[in-house]
Amino acid sequence: MNHFAKIAEKLSAYELDGMLLTCEANRFYASGFHSTGTDGVALVTREGNFYFTDSRYIEAAHNKVQDAEIAMTDAAHPYVDLINAAMEKTHVQKLGFEDAYMTVADYRHYSEKLHCQLVPATELLISLRQSKDEEEIQRMIAAQRIAEGALDQIVKEIKPGVTEKEIAARLQYLMLAGGAENMSFDPIVASGPNGSMPHAVPTDRKIQDGDFVTMDFGCIYQGYCSDMTRTVGHVTEEMEKVYNVVLQAQLAGIAAAKAGATGHDVDAAARKVIEDAGYGPYFGHSFGHSVGVEIHESPNATPANNNPLPLGAAVSAEPGIYLPGRFGVRIEDVVVLQEGGCQDITLAKKDLLIL
């Protein structure tokens, strides 16, 4: 899988002859090949595509990258020389670059060395990556199934005396053993009063009787992320009430999620449920963010987003209520926006699980 052709088709709309991709995520999106950090450059032009990397990745690139010329950089052949030669071959004069990702130092280097006009064009990649094609969705579904398999096992292991760190470590092991390439992000495991912090870091705190345990985790499969949150544990009447409010808020947001709805409207549908229940001040983050090659992508279901959400966007659905110093609840699925509705690609049950 690669998206060279989709990127090339967009060049004329941005009045560009080519697009330079130095960002790790965008290089992967374009080529279907992953090299870490700054260890690669992709160049997409109207007349052909190129992928440059060093000796550590060159053999793998030849095996993996299709629809592009491949060349190796070394001391005698720096990236800028390879890019200049490719641009001369394909008549590139106006070259888009990822202004949202490139460092000032790199921009200065490229602007001094490249024989072209550099044009900020991050939006070109953002606009393409917003809408997932069927192969991208299938990879995200596969990643989600791996995460759900880990959830099925970990709930059998959560008991008093087990620490948050131990649960986080087991989740990572179970996802890797289940076929994941890596984690989408470091798992969040928050128990008892730590659950009131939405992005709590797992600690040595031991699970106690009467705790809620919130687990936010996901994995990467063939380059694409999953993301889910479940809150489980022993509950009081108040804890059960809060859980049910969050669940109803999530269902309301999912019901409002469709291609063409604004991010604001989707967020508002969930937020209203929480506000009507009297917990408005305790839901501080947005309803959701997009997921794909990166765990946080665009567009987002936020109060500030008044733009229509595009067809094929994969958006998290994760409202929460966080009572400081006491406990918190978050429930998260990922939905893919369709005409008139959405597909929830998360199959894990959302009924309150009493351990």
Side-chain angles (χ1 to χ4, degrees):
M1 179 189 75
N2 66 59
H3 294 101
F4 284 127
K6 282 188 175 182
I7 297 169
E9 288 171 5
K10 279 276 191 179
L11 292 174
S12 60
Y14 287 80
E15 300 181 345
L16 298 172
D17 302 313
M19 185 73 201
L20 179 67
L21 304 176
T22 56
C23 162
E24 181 178 342
N26 285 336
R27 289 198 318 266
F28 173 81
Y29 176 80
S31 67
F33 175 68
H34 181 254
S35 57
T36 59
T38 58
D39 300 327
V41 169
L43 174 65
V44 183
T45 80
R46 300 190 191 197
E47 300 179 31
N49 311 306
F50 304 84
Y51 194 94
F52 309 129
T53 190
D54 61 34
S55 61
R56 296 168 296 173
Y57 294 98
I58 192 65
E59 183 178 1
H62 276 292
N63 292 335
K64 182 69 175 180
V65 179
Q66 298 180 348
D67 306 318
E69 294 184 30
I70 301 166
M72 187 174 77
T73 183
D74 55 27
H77 305 88
Y79 281 121
V80 288
D81 286 0
L82 297 175
I83 296 167
N84 277 329
M87 290 195 300
E88 182 177 357
K89 181 178 180 179
T90 53
H91 310 100
V92 172
Q93 294 182 336
K94 294 180 69 175
L95 181 66
F97 74 97
E98 304 150 310
D99 51 304
Y101 296 94
M102 187 177 288
T103 66
V104 173
D106 284 342
Y107 173 74
R108 287 173 177 165
H109 176 68
Y110 283 121
S111 61
E112 291 171 1
K113 300 293 184 179
L114 295 183
H115 307 156
C116 65
Q117 177 187 352
L118 285 174
V119 180
T122 303
E123 182 58 35
L124 189 157
L125 269 297
I126 291 176
S127 66
L128 287 174
R129 287 174 52 187
Q130 284 183 348
S131 297
K132 273 60 180 180
D133 59 36
E134 186 58 31
E135 186 169 2
E136 291 178 292
I137 293 169
Q138 290 305 313
R139 291 185 182 195
M140 293 179 67
I141 289 174
Q144 180 57 37
R145 297 297 167 267
I146 293 170
E148 290 170 356
L151 175 67
D152 290 342
Q153 178 59 35
I154 200 65
V155 295
K156 302 174 185 177
E157 303 177 14
I158 298 175
K159 57 186 178 181
V162 175
T163 69
E164 294 172 347
K165 283 184 177 180
E166 288 170 338
I167 295 171
R170 279 291 288 164
L171 281 170
Q172 293 179 76
Y173 170 79
L174 290 167
M175 286 187 282
L176 290 171
E181 296 168 353
N182 208 335
M183 303 301 102
S184 301
F185 53 94
D186 291 338
I188 296 168
V189 178
S191 64
N194 291 344
S196 67
M197 297 178 283
H199 274 199
V201 175
T203 70
D204 291 319
R205 184 184 186 276
K206 294 180 180 180
I207 307 302
Q208 301 175 22
D209 281 325
D211 279 349
F212 257 153
V213 181
T214 297
M215 298 172 289
D216 187 343
F217 59 100
C219 67
I220 299 172
Y221 178 77
Q222 293 185 353
Y224 283 80
C225 297
S226 64
D227 192 3
M228 68 180 299
T229 306
R230 290 296 184 266
T231 301
V232 302
H234 300 278
V235 296
T236 63
E237 184 176 338
E238 181 190 22
M239 293 163 76
E240 185 173 7
K241 176 186 176 183
V242 170
Y243 187 96
N244 287 329
V245 170
V246 172
L247 177 56
Q248 293 307 310
Q250 193 211 35
L251 294 174
I254 290 174
K258 60 183 178 180
T262 68
H264 171 274
D265 289 345
V266 175
D267 179 276
R271 196 168 297 278
K272 183 177 186 303
V273 174
I274 293 176
E275 289 177 345
D276 287 350
Y279 293 102
Y282 306 107
F283 176 30
H285 58 76
S286 64
F287 179 74
H289 57 87
S290 283
V291 182
V293 173
E294 295 178 289
I295 192 58
H296 290 104
E297 296 193 347
S298 179
N300 298 315
T302 67
N305 184 10
N306 291 307
N307 297 316
L309 300 171
L311 183 71
V315 182
S316 69
E318 52 175 313
I321 293 173
Y322 311 94
L323 303 180
R326 299 182 60 207
F327 65 88
V329 175
R330 183 167 65 257
I331 306 169
E332 178 185 17
D333 293 5
V334 170
V335 300
V336 178
L337 304 188
Q338 301 172 333
E339 297 288 355
C342 65
Q343 174 193 4
D344 190 338
I345 65 172
T346 308
L347 297 183
K349 293 181 179 180
K350 291 181 282 195
D351 298 333
L352 178 57
L353 179 60
I354 307 295
L355 299 179

